[in-house]
Each structure stands twice: as structure tokens, then as C-alpha cells.
Amino acid sequence: MNAVTPLAVLIVDDEAPARTRLLDLLGDLADEHPTRIVGTAANGVEALAVLERGRADLVLTDIRMPVMNGIELAAHLGKLAPPPAVVFTTAYDEYAVQAFELAAVDYLLKPVRATRLADALVKVRRQHRPSEETLRQLMPAGRGHFSVSERGRILLVPVAEVLFLKAEQKYVMARTREREYLLDESLVQLEEEFAGRFLRIHRNCLIAAQAVKGVARATTGEDGEAHWVVLLDGIVEQLPVSRRQWPVVKEALGV
């Protein structure tokens, strides 16, 4: 990134005074560290909407926000091409700040100081970005949304609306009541991240346990061998349970 080219910056914070302070500080630093504001947002969902209208080099984001927090936002930003650099603004204690430092994630402690912001802008020009693994570690409860790249934009799919996840070649298909989405992720990784929400019923399929309305016996194939299938609310598709997973599924569902 050319040193004289202004950085395109998006500011994300649910508190208006905090957004204003960052705008003022960036204005004060403009002679030495030129920036261009592409927008402001009050949470991660609003931020992604802003980025549909234009790209950013840097996203300055708070961590604790309603709807979508800064950690999850950073995970979704990583799917943009090219992904913007991320700098967290935080009131976290020293233990959390140390975690960000060790993970090579930049941060600004509130109230943000001009000298510290200037240092962060220098790091951004070196494309200092958090890794996906780092973000997963900082988000132990899992994401609230899956991000799907379609026609050059990111679609947010609420995890709570996904009925099942099925591995299909290089992708994972996420099924809601309305439609299917393709995720560029690993089924094994998703199973680990959402262990409390999704249950494995087959080597290639995880179901949302809360969406199960029952199980049934079915027969398929030339031999007509019977096996168990799971019935989910909102869709007619029946999902087969493997013999290996049936004892686990039976116990988990209490059937």
C-alpha cells in the first residue's frame, strides 16, 4: 500500500461518542497519516452493509456490540477480497489485551489516544491482520452468523436458522427453511465450533438438535434394509442416521 495514499477507513462502534472521537482523531492525524472515511456503523451487520457499497483498507471496530460483535465481524471480513485490516478498540482488561498482542491482533484501549492510533495506522500499512484461528479462539461461544460469498457480496446466514449442515465435495451445504447456502468451511471444524448446537448423525451431516421433530424407520436401496432417519421442522427432507452414530443420536435426542 502506497504511503501517501489515504487509507479507506470504516469505524464501527455502538456508541456515537466513541465513533465521533475516532473521527476527530483521524482528522487530527490526517497530515502525517492520511485517511478517508468510507462510513460508520453501530454493529457488525451494519458494517458489512456499508462495505457492500465500497471497500475499506481498515476497519476500526469495537468488540462488545449488539447484533454482531467485533470478533465475529472480523471473521466475516476475512472472506472479502481483498480483506481489510482490522484494529479492535476495547475496554478489555490487561489479560485480554495480552491475548490480542500474542495473537498479532492490533488493539486500541479506550479512551483511544492519538499516539496509539497513529502507531496502529503504521501497522495497518504493513497489512497486519488476525488469522481465522485466532478469531475462533477469541470467540469461544461460536459465531451468530455464517458468511456466504454470492455474486461478489457477503450474505449473512443466522446460525439459529440453519437446520442442518452437509458436506458436499469441497463445500458444506447449510440448509434453512427457505433455501440452501454453500459454506467454504470444514464440517469437522463446524462440529467443534458449534458442539452445543449441532449433532452429527452421519459422517457427512450435522443437524440442529433443536430443530428435530422426531425420528422414523425407513427402507431404501435394493436390499430394502431398514434404517433410522431424522425429521426436521420446516422441511420434508429426511436425513439418514448412520449405524455408527445411531446410539449417540438416540441418547442425545432421548428417543
Side-chain angles (χ1 to χ4, degrees):
M1 191 175 297
N2 192 299
V4 299
T5 303
L7 286 171
V9 180
L10 171 62
I11 297 173
V12 190
D13 199 302
D14 61 322
E15 297 180 353
R19 298 194 297 270
T20 300
R21 178 172 178 80
L22 287 173
L23 286 169
D24 290 343
L25 290 175
L26 289 171
D28 293 342
L29 296 169
D31 289 343
E32 190 172 350
H33 302 282
T35 54
R36 175 175 60 86
I37 306 301
V38 299
T40 63
N43 57 60
V45 173
E46 290 185 11
L48 290 170
V50 171
L51 292 176
E52 286 186 7
R53 301 191 292 269
R55 65 176 297 273
D57 301 311
L58 164 65
V59 175
L60 287 168
T61 178
D62 189 15
I63 292 176
R64 292 178 175 171
M65 298 181 292
V67 186
M68 180 188 290
N69 65 38
I71 302 296
E72 181 174 350
L73 169 61
H76 294 307
L77 292 175
K79 297 186 180 298
L80 294 175
V86 177
V87 171
F88 292 120
T89 60
T90 176
Y92 272 23
D93 60 20
E94 287 302 315
Y95 177 82
V97 169
Q98 289 173 5
F100 295 146
E101 285 185 304
L102 292 173
V105 178
D106 208 359
Y107 68 94
L108 299 172
L109 279 177
K110 293 181 176 180
V112 176
R113 305 298 182 189
T115 54
R116 186 64 186 88
L117 177 57
D119 291 342
L121 293 174
V122 171
K123 290 183 180 181
V124 167
R125 290 191 180 276
R126 298 171 185 163
Q127 287 298 293
H128 194 67
R129 295 195 302 108
S131 69
E132 290 187 16
E133 180 59 32
T134 293
L135 295 170
R136 282 195 294 272
Q137 292 173 0
L138 296 175
M139 194 166 42
R143 293 163 283 172
H145 300 77
F146 293 119
S147 52
V148 180
S149 297
E150 282 193 2
R151 300 180 181 90
R153 60 190 291 257
I154 288 183
L155 300 181
L156 294 177
V157 183
V159 174
E161 294 182 8
V162 174
L163 302 176
F164 68 85
L165 299 161
K166 182 181 288 187
E168 295 187 350
Q169 297 181 347
K170 297 188 300 180
Y171 300 93
V172 170
M173 186 267 286
R175 180 70 159 89
T176 67
R177 285 178 173 83
E178 289 75 28
R179 55 165 289 191
E180 299 175 352
Y181 299 89
L182 290 181
L183 308 180
D184 188 12
E185 303 195 47
S186 157
L187 195 67
V188 172
Q189 180 186 74
L190 292 171
E191 181 180 23
E192 293 176 355
E193 183 177 354
F194 298 101
R197 174 175 290 274
F198 292 102
L199 172 67
R200 182 176 288 276
I201 63 169
H202 197 278
R203 62 180 176 80
N204 71 342
C205 186
L206 307 175
I207 61 167
Q210 293 182 338
V212 175
K213 65 179 181 181
V215 297
R217 295 286 277 176
T219 57
T220 57
E222 295 180 358
D223 56 7
E225 185 176 357
H227 63 277
W228 289 99
V229 295
V230 171
L231 311 175
L232 299 176
D233 281 326
I235 59 174
V236 297
E237 185 173 356
Q238 299 179 351
L239 301 173
V241 182
S242 69
R243 291 180 180 176
R244 179 178 181 179
Q245 289 301 120
W246 173 243
V248 176
V249 173
K250 181 179 179 181
E251 180 178 358
L253 299 181
V255 297

